[in-house]
Amino acid sequence: MKIGVLALQGAVREHIHHIKLAGHTGIPVKRVEQLADIDGLVLPGGESTTMRRLMDLYGFTEALRQSELPMYGTCAGLILLANDVVGYEQGHLRKIDITVERNSFGRQVDSFEANIDVKGIEDQVDAVFIRAPHIVSVGPGVEVLSSVEDKMVAVKQGKYLGISFHPELTEDYKIMKYFIEEMVTK
Ligand code: GLN
C-alpha cells in the first residue's frame, strides 16, 4: 500500500519510518495532486493551528474535506479530524464525530510516556503524550479504543482513526499496522 503523510509541519519522518516497518511505502505529501496516488493518509502531530494555516494555503482543507481516503491522525492530527474543538467555532476537517480539547494533559508534566491498552491491538502500546488533546465527547457512530486517567485518547469511526498520543516517537508501530490493515486494505 502507498500511505501518504501530510508533510506541511510536524513529525513526518517518524511516521514514514513506521509505515516502512509495517511493510508498506510511506510518501510525504506536500501537494494536493499527490492525494490521487495514495491509499491512505496520516495526519501527524505538530501544532494544529499552524497545520490548519498551511492546509488552507496549499488547498488541503477543502480537498481533504471532500476526500474519501482513510485517515489516521495523531495528536494535532486528531484535532484536525475532530468535528469540534473546544474554544473554536468550527472543527477543521470534521471527519470524526467527536469534540476534542487541546493541551488537556497540561496540568501534569508537559509530556509523559505510558504503556496503554488499545482495543483491537493485542499487546500494550508504547504511547508518548506531548501537550496532548483528549476527547471530551463522542457521537453515536464512534468507537472508543482507549482511555487514560478517565480521558478518552483513541477513537475510530469508519475509516478514520484518531489518537491523542505519539506512537511514532517510539519503535512501536502496532497502531500504524492496525490502521493499514483495518482501514486501508479492508
Ligand atoms: N498541542 C498541539 C495542538 O494543539 C498538539 C501537540 C502535538 O501534536 N504533540 O495542536
Side-chain angles (χ1 to χ4, degrees):
M1 289 285 140
K2 285 193 203 167
I3 308 296
V5 181
L6 187 67
L8 301 176
Q9 194 247 354
V12 177
R13 243 177 323 138
E14 293 84 347
H15 276 300
I16 303 259
H17 178 58
H18 272 201
I19 294 165
K20 198 168 168 192
L21 291 176
H24 298 272
T25 308
I27 298 166
V29 171
K30 298 188 172 191
R31 288 174 296 106
V32 166
E33 302 80 72
Q34 290 177 277
L35 296 176
D37 292 329
I38 55 175
D39 304 298
L41 180 69
V42 177
L43 304 166
E47 191 58 44
S48 54
T49 47
T50 306
M51 262 191 248
R52 172 59 193 272
R53 259 200 309 276
L54 294 170
M55 279 169 40
D56 285 349
L57 190 65
Y58 295 106
F60 277 104
T61 308
E62 222 23 67
L64 291 179
R65 277 183 182 160
Q66 282 166 26
S67 171
E68 295 283 311
L69 280 172
M71 294 182 203
Y72 161 36
T74 61
C75 206
L78 164 74
I79 298 169
L80 295 177
L81 290 174
N83 271 10
D84 292 290
V85 183
V86 172
Y88 292 77
E89 250 166 54
Q90 230 202 0
H92 305 290
L93 298 178
R94 301 175 62 86
K95 295 287 190 187
I96 306 181
D97 187 11
I98 53 173
T99 299
V100 297
E101 186 176 338
R102 298 177 65 207
N103 303 328
S104 55
F105 285 99
R107 238 179 288 152
Q108 307 211 355
V109 270
D110 224 19
S111 61
F112 62 100
E113 189 169 354
N115 287 313
I116 64 170
D117 292 315
V118 179
K119 204 172 153 191
I121 294 179
E122 224 169 274
D123 299 316
Q124 284 200 313
V125 172
D126 190 357
V128 178
F129 291 80
I130 303 170
R131 297 202 308 118
H134 86 281
I135 299 145
V136 181
S137 62
V138 302
V142 177
E143 190 180 353
V144 179
L145 304 180
S146 185
S147 298
V148 170
E149 296 171 2
D150 292 330
K151 290 178 169 175
M152 295 178 276
V153 295
V155 288
K156 158 186 181 188
Q157 183 174 24
K159 56 188 168 185
Y160 303 114
L161 175 67
I163 65 174
S164 61
F165 49 92
H166 295 268
E168 78 282 6
L169 300 181
T170 75
E171 285 295 303
D172 188 340
Y173 63 96
K174 289 195 287 290
I175 295 195
M176 181 63 78
K177 191 166 175 281
Y178 174 88
F179 168 64
I180 298 173
E181 286 173 4
E182 298 297 319
M183 285 144 169
V184 180
T185 53
K186 261 191 186 167

